[in-house]
Amino acid sequence: MSNQPIKITETVLRDGHQSLLATRMRISQMIPMLEQLDAVGYHSIEAWGGATFDSCLRFLDEDPWERLRTLKSYLKKTPIQMLLRGQNVLGYSHYADDFVKEFVHRSVDNGVGIIRIFDALNDVANMEVAMKAAKQAGAHVQGTIVYTISPYHSRETFVKTAKELVELGADSICIKDMAGLLVPYEASELVKIMKEQISVPLAIHTHYTSGMASMMYLKAIEAGVDIIDCALSPFSMASSQPATEAMIAAMEGQARECKIKKEQLYPIADYFRQVKKDIMEEFHLNPNIDIDTKVLSFQIPGGMLSNLMNQMKEQGMADKFPELIKEMPKVRAELGYPPLVTPTSQIVGSMAAFNVLLGRYKMVPKEVRDLARGKYGRTPAPVDPELLSVLTGGEPLIDHRPADDIAPQLENFRRELAEKGYQNAPMEDVLSYGLFPEVALKYFEAKGLL
Ligand code: CO
């Protein structure tokens, strides 16, 4: 049993504002507090990856790479952590190996110290290339298990995946509970068995969606987890992480007391309280998302639940919402129980919506066909055999690593960019273009680069 002080990854600069305020925090709003954040003594500061890259280009008129370099210039002691979707990089479908490798190397060269790598299906084959590249680039590689509940997931399957990730070189393992599904006593058992079976440090990530996050952390800490993800209070709770100051306070005087003092964080939290107000005002956003324990019954992440509700309302179909909520778990089971995280959550969600609006599987979007064919990797369970031909549209199944079918991409992206008028673009801009072609072009155009 660990009696080491509990360590904290601070998420205010990434998941905190991604979860509560649609990823709208600007670098200019971060800079005034970066030196103080760096001095706190966090295990790491999550500040890049996830949706931040897209949001920089799309909404904030910022170059994500420039943001990373700026962050690094202030965060001199504390590693910058990023979230990477394995072979999806920061996008929604698989990229070629040359693209994944280059992206990882550029990320590390520009300032990332810890890369948390996950795959929506927990398919290790989709994480391998990114993990090896991160290792080679000299980063700390955090292999991730996406937590979900299904007849095909168990403590044993999660431990098995964790062991495979350690074999591939993971320096630590993260249990990523993106929907707040991990209940406190199960966390205790899962952490216990993980700590018995793997030798590298164990981190845990959750969202408050179902209202149990701090209780879950407490049991995970008692069971020996090494690192917890927390957000400074203004960017905590609701669909974000537990509050950093509160978790620190809860551990005071205990065997695993955190080395950070909560009082250190008060002025920093006060600063971000104002930032939160400013963002809410500028973008007309409301972060007061209710705790919703229904997620435990329906397995639908909280943010997604409210998105779907809005979409149904916009279509004048709000009355169909209860049906949709019942349809989601059915579709998920038929598609082989994928965990619901980007991009599988969107894929299952839109399929369920079409089923409710048009009749079951009358319309099957391309992404659903691809998921059923294996283009995103191996689903945890087989796709329902009776629906297989409907779901795949008769297209061939993919039984190997999907990215093996993707030819190198970097040179093509570079050529396309040159054809659009951006000659000799730096590799970082080629990568931005490869990930988000339209928004990147718009951004380059606005900067006079095209
Ligand atoms: Co998260």
Side-chain angles (χ1 to χ4, degrees), residues 11-14 17 25 30 34 37 45-47 52 71 272:
T11 67
V12 67
L13 303 184
R14 205 283 298 177
H17 69 107
M25 199 188 293
M30 302 176 185
L34 291 178
L37 280 170
I45 298 175
E46 194 198 36
T52 62
L71 288 165
F272 281 109

Side-chain angles (χ1 to χ4, degrees), residues 14-15 176 205 207 241:
R14 205 283 298 177
D15 209 0
K176 178 176 164 72
H205 175 87
H207 289 258
Q241 280 81 51

Side-chain angles (χ1 to χ4, degrees), residues 52-64:
T52 62
F53 197 98
D54 188 6
S55 181
C56 274
L57 291 166
R58 196 182 296 267
F59 303 113
L60 304 176
D61 192 32
E62 267 186 56
D63 175 0

Side-chain angles (χ1 to χ4, degrees), residues 5 73 140 186 281 295 297 311 319 322-323 425 427 443:
S73 70
H140 173 114
E186 179 55 28
E281 220 175 85
V295 68
S297 306
Q311 282 167 22
D319 59 316
E323 248 179 89
M427 183 52 82
Y443 176 84

Side-chain angles (χ1 to χ4, degrees), residues 7 38-39 48 71 107 111 164 202 213 263 357 377 380 394 417 425 436:
K7 293 177 183 165
D38 193 33
W48 212 62
L71 288 165
S107 303
E164 287 169 18
L202 184 66
E263 290 79 8
L357 298 176
L417 208 44
F436 303 104

Side-chain angles (χ1 to χ4, degrees), residues 31-42 75 264-265 267-268:
I31 287 173
M33 274 302 128
L34 291 178
E35 277 165 2
Q36 289 185 58
L37 280 170
D38 193 33
V40 165
Y42 288 119
L75 301 173
Q264 282 172 264
L265 300 175
I268 310 179

Side-chain angles (χ1 to χ4, degrees), residues 154-173:
S154 65
R155 285 170 212 156
E156 289 69 30
T157 61
F158 291 128
V159 168
K160 184 171 167 278
T161 307
K163 281 183 171 170
E164 287 169 18
L165 293 171
V166 172
E167 263 165 45
L168 283 176
D171 300 299
S172 60
I173 293 291

